[in-house]
Amino acid sequence: MFQGKEVIVKLSEEADDVYQELNKIVGEEKLKGIDSSFHQTLLRSIIRVRDLLKQNPFAGDQVPKRQMPPKYIQKFDVDNIWRIELADRWRLVYTITGNQIEIITFIMDIFDHKDYDKVFGYKH
């Protein structure tokens, strides 16, 4: 609940693919007895951020309108974009929508810093 409203966290198909692949890799690592890895750290980070967004959808940094990638505006018809850091310089990009009853935090992308820079048009 946030300000008396239920908060629902949904993942885009792309974000869900990343999440499911990480779950699969971590499951395989656990079967091999691997207790610590980049994949496990990243998955824990995503779960922690998802839980944080359920408590406070505004926990990330809002992307200024002039920096909003057209990709998200066109694909998801959004008018606000937020980003939050994950482990190992990965990023989670989301939007917030809702009504009087609920807030929907829609995770559009989960990616590494290189892909994040590409989508947002940052140059090195």
Side-chain angles (χ1 to χ4, degrees), residues 3-20:
Q3 296 181 346
K5 297 181 183 181
E6 180 183 6
V7 179
I8 299 166
V9 178
K10 295 182 177 181
L11 280 76
S12 70
E13 189 175 329
E14 295 87 349
D16 192 53
D17 287 348
V18 171
Y19 183 74
Q20 295 302 331

Side-chain angles (χ1 to χ4, degrees), residues 34-86:
I34 300 170
D35 291 327
S36 180
S37 73
F38 158 76
H39 298 105
Q40 292 171 33
T41 300
L42 181 57
L43 183 61
R44 276 193 308 273
S45 179
I46 292 169
I47 292 168
R48 179 184 51 77
V49 164
R50 184 192 63 200
D51 292 343
L52 173 65
L53 293 175
K54 284 181 184 176
Q55 300 301 314
N56 179 8
F58 302 96
D61 299 314
Q62 188 166 18
V63 176
K65 293 245 186 254
R66 69 184 183 283
Q67 292 177 330
M68 289 175 32
K71 165 188 175 176
Y72 299 123
I73 297 167
Q74 293 160 358
K75 186 168 187 173
F76 301 112
D77 191 30
V78 299
D79 61 4
N80 68 82
I81 296 176
W82 300 71
R83 63 182 160 225
I84 195 163
E85 291 189 17
L86 300 170

